[in-house]
Amino acid sequence: MRVFSGFPPGKTRTVALPNLFFTELLQSIDDLAEMKLTLYCFWALHQQDGQYRYVIRREVLDDAVFLGGIDTDAAKARERTLEAFERATARGTLLHVTVEGVAAPEDLYFLNTTRGRNAIQAIEQGRFTYGGRDCPVALVVERPNIFALYEQNIGSLTPMIAEQLKQAEDEYPAEWIEEAIRLAVERNARNWRYVSAILNRWQTEGKDGGQPTQPTEADHYRYIRGEYSDIIDY
């Protein structure tokens, strides 16, 4: 089981769900893939603007993050997703229409709302012509922000630490900060001073191919003796 590390502190993006989802749909959906697809469609439509909002089946079948949550086998994941589309359409959650696309016919799905029903009617009456979409809608694994990383791995935030984290976020790449925190955890040195020293060392001496610059034996000795704190044993 993959353990969820929790929602990060501060404001996070949200997706609204209608009450009927909980009072009617939640009790009637008995297929996990259909449930996941239904929630995905609410999310995907929430990302869009404009009068007509729709999910393109091809985009969903190309979304590796979503498919990975359906089945570890890519072919089975696509097959189960297609079945989920059929189930959600038969249930009446989604409205399906096939339109002429730029290169080939496209299968569009609208939520069964007044806006979705009006869109289907507009297509049938020729008042809406599909012209493709410049930016595909797809799930992206969000990286936890620096404050969440600190609280999850180091400790509670203080105003002083928060200010130092903001400064580090401006000075170093996000990948560096994540890796430096990971190294601090691995070395059982869960404090920001240790993490900051790693980042400072990478910045001054370079970080070859994403790998930490290894300290010399003399550095190890001086660090153990406490002659200076910026030499990190990693």
Side-chain angles (χ1 to χ4, degrees):
M1 177 188 297
R2 182 189 301 174
V3 178
F4 177 55
S5 58
F7 297 102
K11 293 183 179 180
T12 57
R13 288 181 290 181
T14 58
V15 176
L17 292 174
N19 286 339
L20 274 176
F21 174 83
F22 298 98
T23 60
E24 187 170 335
L25 274 179
L26 189 62
Q27 287 75 20
S28 63
I29 297 177
D30 55 1
D31 178 77
L32 182 57
E34 182 189 349
M35 177 66 76
K36 289 186 175 184
L37 176 67
T38 301
L39 290 171
Y40 178 94
C41 288
F42 275 109
W43 169 84
L45 294 170
H46 186 75
Q47 311 307 308
Q48 302 173 34
D49 296 315
Q51 182 178 3
Y52 301 118
R53 305 180 187 187
Y54 48 84
V55 173
I56 303 175
R57 187 169 70 189
R58 172 181 50 81
E59 289 184 353
V60 180
L61 295 176
D62 288 340
D63 192 336
V65 176
F66 173 74
L67 293 181
I70 298 296
D71 200 293
T72 54
D73 182 275
K76 290 181 180 179
R78 289 173 63 87
E79 181 180 349
R80 291 191 62 195
T81 299
L82 288 172
E83 293 174 355
F85 270 118
E86 292 179 1
R87 293 177 68 93
T89 303
R91 192 177 304 283
T93 309
L94 300 178
L95 303 174
H96 173 226
V97 62
T98 301
V99 298
E100 286 300 322
V102 177
E106 293 275 24
D107 291 282
L108 309 185
Y109 291 84
F110 296 83
L111 202 60
N112 190 0
T113 61
T114 301
R115 178 180 290 185
R117 292 188 291 271
N118 288 342
I120 294 292
Q121 186 177 29
I123 292 173
E124 292 174 346
Q125 295 176 354
R127 293 185 286 109
F128 167 51
T129 302
Y130 173 76
R133 182 150 60 198
D134 295 334
C135 183
V137 176
L139 288 173
V140 176
V141 177
E142 294 192 19
R143 310 167 77 99
N145 63 37
I146 188 172
F147 303 104
L149 282 172
Y150 183 90
E151 288 195 318
Q152 291 167 8
N153 296 281
I154 306 298
S156 299
L157 282 173
T158 65
M160 183 177 295
I161 290 295
E163 188 62 34
Q164 292 175 342
L165 292 177
K166 290 179 183 177
Q167 184 177 351
E169 198 171 28
D170 293 335
E171 293 182 1
Y172 307 108
E175 295 81 4
W176 285 25
I177 297 174
E178 290 181 21
E179 187 174 351
I181 289 177
R182 178 181 58 78
L183 287 169
V185 172
E186 290 177 355
R187 300 296 183 263
N188 198 27
R190 296 171 183 264
N191 61 79
W192 180 248
R193 186 180 181 186
Y194 193 96
V195 175
S196 180
I198 294 176
L199 294 169
N200 182 64
R201 187 178 181 87
W202 288 347
Q203 187 178 58
T204 56
E205 298 187 9
K207 190 171 182 296
D208 184 22
Q211 298 301 315
T213 303
Q214 295 295 332
T216 64
E217 289 298 322
D219 287 338
H220 282 292
Y221 180 73
R222 284 194 291 271
Y223 180 71
I224 293 171
R225 288 284 302 274
E227 294 181 18
Y228 56 102
S229 61
D230 284 345
I231 296 300
I232 298 302
D233 180 12
Y234 56 89

Short mmCIF file of all heavy atoms in Angstrom, two decimals, residues 2 23 28-29 43 45 73 80 88 92 109 121 123 131 145 152 164 176 179 191 216 230 232:
data_model
loop_
_atom_site.label_atom_id
_atom_site.label_comp_id
_atom_site.label_asym_id
_atom_site.label_seq_id
_atom_site.Cartn_x
_atom_site.Cartn_y
_atom_site.Cartn_z
N ARG A 2 0.60 2.17 -0.91
CA ARG A 2 1.33 3.44 -0.94
C ARG A 2 0.77 4.36 0.13
O ARG A 2 -0.43 4.63 0.19
CB ARG A 2 1.19 4.10 -2.31
CG ARG A 2 1.98 5.41 -2.43
CD ARG A 2 1.64 6.13 -3.72
NE ARG A 2 1.92 5.31 -4.89
CZ ARG A 2 1.59 5.69 -6.13
NH1 ARG A 2 0.95 6.82 -6.35
NH2 ARG A 2 1.87 4.91 -7.15
N THR A 23 -25.02 11.97 -2.44
CA THR A 23 -26.32 11.43 -2.02
C THR A 23 -26.90 10.40 -2.98
O THR A 23 -27.78 9.63 -2.60
CB THR A 23 -27.34 12.58 -1.87
OG1 THR A 23 -27.49 13.26 -3.13
CG2 THR A 23 -26.89 13.58 -0.81
N SER A 28 -24.45 4.35 -5.85
CA SER A 28 -24.83 3.50 -6.98
C SER A 28 -23.63 2.99 -7.78
O SER A 28 -23.72 1.94 -8.42
CB SER A 28 -25.79 4.26 -7.91
OG SER A 28 -25.15 5.40 -8.47
N ILE A 29 -22.54 3.71 -7.78
CA ILE A 29 -21.36 3.27 -8.55
C ILE A 29 -20.71 2.10 -7.83
O ILE A 29 -20.26 2.22 -6.68
CB ILE A 29 -20.35 4.41 -8.74
CG1 ILE A 29 -20.97 5.55 -9.55
CG2 ILE A 29 -19.08 3.91 -9.43
CD1 ILE A 29 -20.07 6.77 -9.72
N TRP A 43 -12.60 16.57 -12.10
CA TRP A 43 -11.34 17.32 -12.01
C TRP A 43 -10.99 17.93 -13.36
O TRP A 43 -10.65 19.12 -13.45
CB TRP A 43 -10.22 16.40 -11.55
CG TRP A 43 -8.87 17.02 -11.70
CD1 TRP A 43 -8.24 17.86 -10.82
CD2 TRP A 43 -7.98 16.90 -12.82
NE1 TRP A 43 -7.02 18.26 -11.32
CE2 TRP A 43 -6.84 17.69 -12.54
CE3 TRP A 43 -8.05 16.19 -14.03
CZ2 TRP A 43 -5.77 17.79 -13.44
CZ3 TRP A 43 -6.99 16.29 -14.91
CH2 TRP A 43 -5.87 17.08 -14.62
N LEU A 45 -12.81 18.69 -16.00
CA LEU A 45 -13.71 19.77 -16.42
C LEU A 45 -13.47 21.03 -15.59
O LEU A 45 -13.65 22.14 -16.09
CB LEU A 45 -15.17 19.31 -16.28
CG LEU A 45 -15.57 18.17 -17.23
CD1 LEU A 45 -16.93 17.61 -16.85
CD2 LEU A 45 -15.57 18.63 -18.67
N ASP A 73 -0.76 -2.81 -15.61
CA ASP A 73 -0.59 -3.22 -17.00
C ASP A 73 -1.27 -2.18 -17.89
O ASP A 73 -2.48 -1.95 -17.77
CB ASP A 73 -1.21 -4.61 -17.23
CG ASP A 73 -1.00 -5.09 -18.64
OD1 ASP A 73 -1.83 -4.73 -19.52
OD2 ASP A 73 -0.03 -5.82 -18.89
N ARG A 80 -9.93 -1.24 -19.17
CA ARG A 80 -10.81 -0.95 -18.04
C ARG A 80 -11.33 0.48 -18.10
O ARG A 80 -12.46 0.76 -17.70
CB ARG A 80 -10.08 -1.20 -16.72
CG ARG A 80 -9.78 -2.66 -16.44
CD ARG A 80 -9.30 -2.84 -15.02
NE ARG A 80 -10.33 -2.44 -14.06
CZ ARG A 80 -10.08 -2.23 -12.77
NH1 ARG A 80 -8.85 -2.35 -12.30
NH2 ARG A 80 -11.06 -1.87 -11.96
N ALA A 88 -20.17 4.75 -17.15
CA ALA A 88 -20.56 6.10 -16.72
C ALA A 88 -21.58 6.71 -17.67
O ALA A 88 -22.47 7.46 -17.25
CB ALA A 88 -19.32 6.99 -16.62
N GLY A 92 -25.63 7.50 -16.93
CA GLY A 92 -26.16 8.84 -17.12
C GLY A 92 -25.30 9.92 -16.49
O GLY A 92 -25.67 11.10 -16.52
N TYR A 109 -16.89 13.73 -24.04
CA TYR A 109 -17.79 13.41 -22.94
C TYR A 109 -18.09 14.68 -22.16
O TYR A 109 -17.17 15.40 -21.76
CB TYR A 109 -17.17 12.35 -22.03
CG TYR A 109 -17.07 11.00 -22.69
CD1 TYR A 109 -15.98 10.69 -23.50
CD2 TYR A 109 -18.06 10.03 -22.51
CE1 TYR A 109 -15.87 9.46 -24.13
CE2 TYR A 109 -17.96 8.78 -23.13
CZ TYR A 109 -16.87 8.51 -23.93
OH TYR A 109 -16.77 7.29 -24.55
N GLN A 121 -26.80 19.52 -27.49
CA GLN A 121 -27.81 20.08 -28.39
C GLN A 121 -27.18 21.03 -29.40
O GLN A 121 -27.55 21.03 -30.58
CB GLN A 121 -28.88 20.82 -27.57
CG GLN A 121 -30.05 21.31 -28.40
CD GLN A 121 -31.12 21.98 -27.56
OE1 GLN A 121 -30.83 22.56 -26.52
NE2 GLN A 121 -32.37 21.89 -27.99
N ILE A 123 -24.14 20.86 -30.57
CA ILE A 123 -23.42 20.05 -31.56
C ILE A 123 -24.40 19.47 -32.57
O ILE A 123 -24.16 19.50 -33.78
CB ILE A 123 -22.63 18.93 -30.84
CG1 ILE A 123 -21.49 19.53 -30.02
CG2 ILE A 123 -22.08 17.92 -31.86
CD1 ILE A 123 -20.76 18.52 -29.15
N GLY A 131 -12.92 22.09 -32.78
CA GLY A 131 -11.73 22.48 -33.54
C GLY A 131 -10.42 22.03 -32.92
O GLY A 131 -9.36 22.55 -33.24
N ASN A 145 5.35 21.30 -1.67
CA ASN A 145 6.13 22.53 -1.57
C ASN A 145 7.15 22.41 -0.45
O ASN A 145 7.13 21.47 0.36
CB ASN A 145 5.21 23.74 -1.38
CG ASN A 145 4.42 23.69 -0.08
OD1 ASN A 145 4.91 23.24 0.94
ND2 ASN A 145 3.19 24.15 -0.13
N GLN A 152 7.13 17.52 6.97
CA GLN A 152 7.01 16.06 6.88
C GLN A 152 8.29 15.35 7.26
O GLN A 152 8.26 14.21 7.74
CB GLN A 152 6.61 15.67 5.46
CG GLN A 152 5.19 16.07 5.06
CD GLN A 152 4.94 15.96 3.57
OE1 GLN A 152 5.78 15.44 2.83
NE2 GLN A 152 3.80 16.45 3.12
N GLN A 164 13.70 31.44 6.16
CA GLN A 164 14.88 30.79 5.56
C GLN A 164 14.47 29.88 4.41
O GLN A 164 15.17 29.78 3.40
CB GLN A 164 15.64 30.02 6.63
CG GLN A 164 16.30 30.90 7.68
CD GLN A 164 16.95 30.09 8.79
OE1 GLN A 164 16.65 28.91 8.98
NE2 GLN A 164 17.84 30.73 9.53
N TRP A 176 17.12 20.25 -5.89
CA TRP A 176 18.22 20.30 -4.93
C TRP A 176 17.68 20.25 -3.50
O TRP A 176 18.21 19.52 -2.65
CB TRP A 176 19.05 21.57 -5.12
CG TRP A 176 19.95 21.57 -6.31
CD1 TRP A 176 19.81 20.85 -7.45
CD2 TRP A 176 21.14 22.35 -6.47
NE1 TRP A 176 20.82 21.14 -8.32
CE2 TRP A 176 21.65 22.06 -7.75
CE3 TRP A 176 21.79 23.28 -5.66
CZ2 TRP A 176 22.81 22.65 -8.23
CZ3 TRP A 176 22.96 23.88 -6.14
CH2 TRP A 176 23.46 23.56 -7.42
N GLU A 179 16.40 16.82 -2.58
CA GLU A 179 17.47 15.86 -2.38
C GLU A 179 18.26 16.15 -1.11
O GLU A 179 18.65 15.23 -0.38
CB GLU A 179 18.42 15.85 -3.59
CG GLU A 179 19.46 14.75 -3.52
CD GLU A 179 20.30 14.67 -4.78
OE1 GLU A 179 19.97 15.35 -5.76
OE2 GLU A 179 21.30 13.93 -4.76
N ASN A 191 17.73 18.78 10.64
CA ASN A 191 17.69 20.20 10.99
C ASN A 191 18.01 21.01 9.74
O ASN A 191 18.71 20.55 8.83
CB ASN A 191 18.65 20.53 12.14
CG ASN A 191 20.08 20.23 11.77
OD1 ASN A 191 20.74 21.01 11.07
ND2 ASN A 191 20.60 19.09 12.25
N THR A 216 36.24 15.40 1.27
CA THR A 216 37.51 14.69 1.39
C THR A 216 37.65 14.11 2.79
O THR A 216 36.88 14.43 3.70
CB THR A 216 38.67 15.65 1.12
OG1 THR A 216 38.68 16.65 2.16
CG2 THR A 216 38.51 16.35 -0.23
N ASP A 230 30.04 23.78 7.98
CA ASP A 230 29.51 23.70 6.62
C ASP A 230 30.02 22.49 5.87
O ASP A 230 29.62 22.25 4.74
CB ASP A 230 29.88 24.97 5.83
CG ASP A 230 29.01 26.15 6.24
OD1 ASP A 230 27.98 25.88 6.88
OD2 ASP A 230 29.38 27.28 5.93
N ILE A 232 29.74 18.78 5.24
CA ILE A 232 28.67 17.83 5.52
C ILE A 232 29.11 16.42 5.16
O ILE A 232 29.68 16.17 4.10
CB ILE A 232 27.43 18.22 4.69
CG1 ILE A 232 26.95 19.62 5.11
CG2 ILE A 232 26.31 17.22 4.91
CD1 ILE A 232 26.61 19.75 6.57
#
